[in-house]
Amino acid sequence: MAKTSQAAGLHRASLTKLHDLDAALELMYYGWRGMTLEADEYLAKQGLSRPHHRILYVVARRPDIAIGSLIEILGISKQALNRPLNLLLERKLLTSKRSPEQHRSKLLRLTAAGQRVEQRASDHERKVLREAFDRVGAPGAAAWMGVMEAIADAN
Amino acid sequence: MAKTSQAAGLHRASLTKLHDLDAALELMYYGWRGMTLEADEYLAKQGLSRPHHRILYVVARRPDIAIGSLIEILGISKQALNRPLNLLLERKLLTSKRSPEQHRSKLLRLTAAGQRVEQRASDHERKVLREAFDRVGAPGAAAWMGVMEAIADAN
DNA sequence: CGCCTCATGTCAACCATGTTGACTTCAGAG
DNA sequence: CTCTGAAGTCAACATGGTTGACATGAGGCG
C-alpha cells in the first residue's frame, strides 16, 4: 500500500494559514471538489465525464440550441466540442435536426435517456448543495449566494 | 470576428432554471472561474499554470516538506508531480536538499523568487474573495464559510 | 444558374495534465 | 553486502484542450 489513495476523499489538508483568507481560498477548492465528486463518479460509470455533463446540462436548459450557441456558452472551440458531442449523439442521449425554417443550423435536444443522465448527474451536485443549505438554513444559503455572485462577477 | 471570444469573461450564461438549486450549482462553477481567472492569467505570463501554483502554495505553507508528503497532499502521482516540480526547481522558485538527519527524503522550500510568485498568484485569488466579503460584511462571509465547509466535507 | 456566405463537420498537429507500469539510484539499516 | 524506502526516470497511454486548414450543405442573391 505505497499509495495512500483515499483517492476521492483527499482530506482537506491542514496547511499553515499564511493569510486570513487562505482558509476561504482552500474552501473554494475543496468545495468545488466536494460538489462534483459524486457526480463525476456517476458519470464515469456511464463512460462520460465533466465535458459531457456540461453539454447535457446546457442543452437541457436550452432545448433546440444551435451548435454555435453551445460553443459560445461552453467557451470551447468547435473542435473541442466535436468529440464529446458526437459521443452523446451516438449514444442517443442527444438528437440533432435541422430547424424547419432556419436550415443552416442544427438544433440539439435531449432524448429521454439524455434527460435521465443529465438529471442524475446534476442531482448528485444539487444533493450536496441542498444538504449544505439545510445545515445553515435559508439566511445562510442566501448569504452564500450573495458572496458567490460577487466572486463570479469579479471579472 | 467569428469567435465571440470575450474569452476570459465567459459571461454567466442565463440558462433556464429547471431546479431551484440550479442557480447555486452554476454559481459554484462561475465562482471557481471568477476566483482563479486573474491568477491563471498572471501565472501564464510567468510560463506557469495551476499545478505549479498548487505546488508553490503547499510548499509555502509547509516549508521543508518531503516530496512524498507533497504527493499525498496534492493527490497526484509522483510522475505527474515530476515535471512541474522540476520546472520550479530549474527556475529556482524552489530548492530541495537532503535533511540533516533524515537523509532519505528531500526537503522542499521556496526561494525568495518562489515566495514572490506564490504570493502574487494567491493574492489575485484572495483579492477576489476579499472584495466579495467586503460587499456582504462579516456575517455574510461567515455564513459563506459555513456553507462551503459543509459542501467540502460532503464526502 | 453560378457564386457568396454562414454554420457545421472533419483532419492533422500539437500541448498540458494526468494515469500505470517498470526500472534505477541513492542512502541509511542490518 | 544486502535489504529497504524515498526519490527519479522512462515509456506508453488517455483526455481535453488548442490552431490551422479545408470540406460540405443550405440559403441569399445577381
Side-chain angles (χ1 to χ4, degrees):
Chain A
M1 54 158 283
K3 300 211 24 176
T4 32
S5 138
Q6 77 287 58
L10 194 68
H11 60 269
R12 290 163 48 196
S14 63
L15 301 170
T16 305
K17 300 296 179 287
L18 295 181
H19 299 263
D20 54 341
L21 289 169
D22 280 357
L25 205 164
E26 291 167 28
L27 277 174
M28 184 70 90
Y29 185 84
Y30 290 110
W32 172 255
R33 302 290 248 75
M35 188 184 84
T36 56
L37 201 77
E38 281 182 44
D40 285 343
E41 283 167 4
Y42 165 74
L43 288 164
K45 271 190 293 187
Q46 314 300 314
L48 303 175
S49 53
R50 196 124 290 276
H52 303 106
H53 185 200
R54 292 218 288 147
I55 295 170
L56 294 175
Y57 184 93
V58 172
V59 176
R61 283 148 188 83
R62 285 269 192 101
D64 287 335
I65 189 175
I67 293 191
S69 313
L70 186 54
I71 286 169
E72 262 187 63
I73 291 178
L74 295 179
I76 60 176
S77 66
K78 107 189 119 158
Q79 295 90 329
L81 176 62
N82 199 26
R83 230 168 335 170
L85 180 58
N86 278 331
L87 179 63
L88 296 175
L89 289 168
E90 278 168 30
R91 294 261 200 102
K92 302 200 188 308
L93 301 179
L94 281 185
T95 58
S96 84
K97 60 158 198 279
R98 300 267 174 192
S99 79
E101 62 295 307
Q102 183 54 26
H103 274 239
R104 276 184 182 172
S105 34
K106 282 193 184 174
L107 307 183
L108 300 173
R109 225 169 221 290
L110 293 191
T111 63
Q115 279 179 37
R116 203 160 47 237
V117 172
E118 190 282 322
Q119 203 155 341
R120 286 186 187 165
S122 300
D123 270 346
H124 283 293
E125 301 180 354
R126 283 188 295 255
K127 187 196 68 182
V128 174
L129 295 177
R130 188 176 314 115
E131 288 171 0
F133 286 167
D134 283 352
R135 254 199 256 181
V136 298
W144 182 89
M145 299 273 290
V147 175
M148 285 307 268
E149 271 164 26
I151 294 171
D153 296 338
N155 316 294
Chain B
M1 53 159 282
K3 298 210 30 178
T4 30
S5 137
Q6 76 290 56
L10 194 68
H11 61 267
R12 289 163 49 196
S14 63
L15 300 170
T16 304
K17 300 296 179 284
L18 295 181
H19 300 262
D20 53 341
L21 289 169
D22 279 357
L25 205 164
E26 290 167 29
L27 277 174
M28 184 70 89
Y29 185 84
Y30 290 109
W32 173 255
R33 303 289 247 74
M35 187 183 85
T36 56
L37 201 77
E38 281 182 44
D40 285 342
E41 283 168 4
Y42 165 74
L43 288 164
K45 270 190 294 188
Q46 315 300 314
L48 303 175
S49 51
R50 195 124 292 276
H52 303 106
H53 184 199
R54 292 217 289 147
I55 296 170
L56 294 175
Y57 183 93
V58 171
V59 176
R61 283 151 188 81
R62 285 269 191 102
D64 287 335
I65 189 176
I67 292 192
S69 314
L70 186 53
I71 286 170
E72 261 187 64
I73 291 178
L74 295 179
I76 60 177
S77 66
K78 111 189 115 158
Q79 295 91 328
L81 177 62
N82 199 27
R83 228 161 344 165
L85 180 59
N86 278 330
L87 179 63
L88 296 174
L89 288 167
E90 278 168 30
R91 294 259 201 106
K92 300 200 189 309
L93 300 179
L94 282 184
T95 57
S96 84
K97 60 160 199 278
R98 302 266 173 194
S99 80
E101 61 295 308
Q102 182 54 27
H103 275 239
R104 277 184 182 173
S105 34
K106 281 193 183 174
L107 308 183
L108 300 172
R109 224 169 222 290
L110 293 191
T111 63
Q115 278 179 36
R116 203 159 49 236
V117 171
E118 190 283 321
Q119 204 155 341
R120 286 185 187 167
S122 300
D123 270 346
H124 284 294
E125 302 180 353
R126 284 188 294 257
K127 189 196 67 183
V128 174
L129 295 176
R130 188 176 313 114
E131 289 171 359
F133 286 166
D134 282 354
R135 256 198 255 181
V136 298
W144 183 88
M145 300 272 290
V147 175
M148 285 307 268
E149 271 164 26
I151 294 172
D153 296 338
N155 317 294

